[in-house]
Amino acid sequence: MRTIRDLDTVELIIDAQGVLDAIRGKERVIDAGTLRALQQSGNYVVGLFDDEGGEEKMVGASIAFFGEPGRRAMHSHITALLPEYRGRGWGRELKEHQRQWAFSREVGRISWTFDPLVARNAHFFLTVLGARVTDYAVNQYGIFGGGDAGDESDRLDVEWALADIAKPPASDAVVDTLAIPSDVESMRATDPAAAHEWRLRLRSEMEDRLGRGLRIAGFDVERGYLFTAA
């Protein structure tokens, strides 16, 4: 059995920091003090707990905070699961919980960023959840290690319109595609130079397509990013 609930004690906040540190490595994405401040000020700070075997364990966490009041928006800072718990649909449960939580507070859209080289995230965010790409940024956070393994942090900005989920583009609307590695995270561990070459290649090809006025409209696990005319 698993549950999702607010991290409303110091002990749970510290546990969540440990989970996120385990996922992202030595470059901490958020500290316990900031997590506590976000939680106490009414933002979205939750943990995913698994009690298989009779002992409850936090295996994931999700943190989001409110954006500009006039836009009725939130920004999702991180949603993450321990690697051994991925591929079970639990990440989708976390995002759906976040969606319902936002709805209950009259929030209509949630934004976040992700590394465009990570295929599993591109598929999850664009195909499964139906978020829309709104921008592409070069080295958005600088070189900070963690998920980028010391490489530059290019990002796609996405927005999830909670009552208007995006659908994949029609086949005849796709005018170009852009493939990426199936598992760049493993490549970064075994061949970081090759992973960096992919970073530069994707950057060049992404900027070329966007510069021609094309729009990222979806993702396909075989063909990669799907572009349509803007």
Side-chain angles (χ1 to χ4, degrees):
M1 181 178 177
R2 58 192 174 276
T3 58
I4 300 171
R5 65 176 188 269
D6 294 342
L7 303 180
D8 55 3
T9 69
V10 171
E11 291 76 16
L12 289 174
I13 289 290
I14 292 172
D15 285 348
Q17 179 184 280
V19 168
L20 295 174
D21 286 354
I23 294 167
R24 295 302 301 266
K26 64 180 181 179
E27 300 292 339
R28 178 166 290 166
V29 295
I30 192 166
D31 61 86
T34 303
L35 283 173
R36 185 64 164 164
L38 288 171
Q39 180 268 325
Q40 289 186 316
S41 56
N43 292 282
Y44 182 79
V45 181
V46 306
L48 174 64
F49 298 83
D50 176 37
D51 65 359
E52 185 177 355
E55 183 175 350
E56 186 177 74
K57 174 184 178 183
M58 190 187 303
V59 300
S62 185
I63 295 93
F65 47 84
F66 292 105
E68 300 174 49
R71 295 193 71 236
R72 295 175 52 244
M74 291 174 56
H75 183 76
S76 182
H77 182 60
I78 187 169
T79 297
L81 286 170
L82 294 173
E84 61 267 32
Y85 291 89
R86 295 172 186 164
R88 306 184 188 188
W90 294 10
R92 185 171 187 173
E93 287 186 26
L94 261 176
K95 292 302 286 186
E96 181 58 30
H97 183 275
Q98 186 182 84
R99 179 173 180 259
Q100 295 302 325
W101 189 95
F103 265 140
S104 72
R105 288 155 179 81
E106 299 184 348
V107 169
R109 58 193 72 243
I110 301 174
S111 64
W112 63 88
T113 70
F114 74 95
D115 184 345
L117 272 175
V118 180
R120 64 180 179 85
N121 283 344
H123 170 72
F124 179 49
F125 297 147
L126 304 186
T127 306
V128 177
L129 296 183
R132 293 175 173 87
V133 175
T134 58
D135 201 6
Y136 169 70
V138 172
N139 201 24
Q140 186 161 6
Y141 303 109
I143 299 174
F144 66 92
D148 296 272
D151 202 356
E152 296 181 17
S153 54
D154 292 11
R155 291 292 185 269
L156 285 176
D157 297 336
V158 299
E159 187 170 83
W160 198 21
L162 304 183
D164 182 23
I165 303 301
K167 296 181 174 62
S171 296
D172 59 359
V174 177
V175 299
D176 207 346
T177 61
L178 179 51
I180 60 174
S182 61
D183 186 4
V184 76
E185 293 163 298
S186 294
M187 185 187 299
R188 284 173 177 152
T190 60
D191 193 347
H196 178 66
E197 286 300 317
W198 265 107
R199 169 70 78 211
L200 299 181
R201 185 186 315 172
L202 178 65
R203 179 185 297 173
S204 174
E205 297 190 7
M206 188 76 77
E207 290 181 328
D208 172 70
R209 286 159 175 78
L210 297 177
R212 289 190 276 122
L214 302 184
R215 179 178 68 89
I216 301 171
F219 184 82
D220 179 85
V221 292
E222 298 296 333
R223 293 179 291 166
Y225 290 100
L226 308 176
F227 292 81
T228 60

